[in-house]
Amino acid sequence: MLTGQQLKEEGIKIVISHNEKWLENILRVLKNFCEGRKEQGKPKFAFEEFRRHCRCVNAAEPRHHNAWGSVPREGARKGLIEWTGEFCQAKAPLAHARIIKVWRVV
């Protein structure tokens, strides 16, 4: 029997495999977003801010919305961002004020 973490990893692999081109493009958008945050002197952000940025620049949507969950992980793996160890409350109405991670531009 697989653990919850193993199931999560398998799910991420499947979603990424169906959204490889999108992920490659969205990581470029993330890199530009991070450069802008550095220039503004605002290295910390909640990922919902990046999602808003993506809508503003008309970035493509993935085939399945779960692909968004792979972006912070891949961004961290590529050294663009890191988790601060902090959390905040989401502001987006559809997030229902859930607790989310705060990230920092590397």
Side-chain angles (χ1 to χ4, degrees):
M1 180 178 242
L2 296 175
T3 67
Q5 185 63 36
Q6 289 169 321
L7 289 169
K8 176 183 174 181
E9 296 297 324
E10 285 301 312
I12 289 170
K13 285 178 190 175
I14 291 168
V15 168
I16 289 174
S17 73
H18 293 132
N19 292 278
E20 288 176 3
K21 266 293 197 218
W22 174 83
L23 182 59
E24 185 180 307
N25 290 329
I26 210 71
L27 288 172
R28 278 196 291 275
V29 176
L30 179 60
K31 183 179 180 191
N32 292 335
F33 174 81
C34 289
E35 289 169 358
R37 299 291 295 203
K38 276 185 186 177
E39 289 173 9
Q40 296 168 5
K42 298 178 180 178
K44 289 184 179 182
F45 67 98
F47 226 77
E48 66 180 354
E49 294 173 63
F50 174 64
R51 297 273 310 261
R52 269 195 307 275
H53 170 78
C54 288
R55 285 192 295 278
C56 289
V57 299
N58 294 318
E61 288 289 322
R63 288 182 177 181
H64 192 280
H65 64 88
N66 284 356
W68 282 106
S70 65
V71 179
R73 177 181 176 203
E74 291 300 307
R77 196 175 65 72
K78 292 191 176 289
L80 299 173
I81 60 175
E82 63 185 5
W83 181 43
T84 63
E86 300 171 27
F87 295 94
C88 69
Q89 204 168 35
K91 294 178 180 148
L94 290 176
H96 298 274
R98 78 166 73 72
I99 302 301
I100 56 176
K101 290 182 176 180
V102 176
W103 295 88
R104 176 181 16 257
V105 174
V106 176

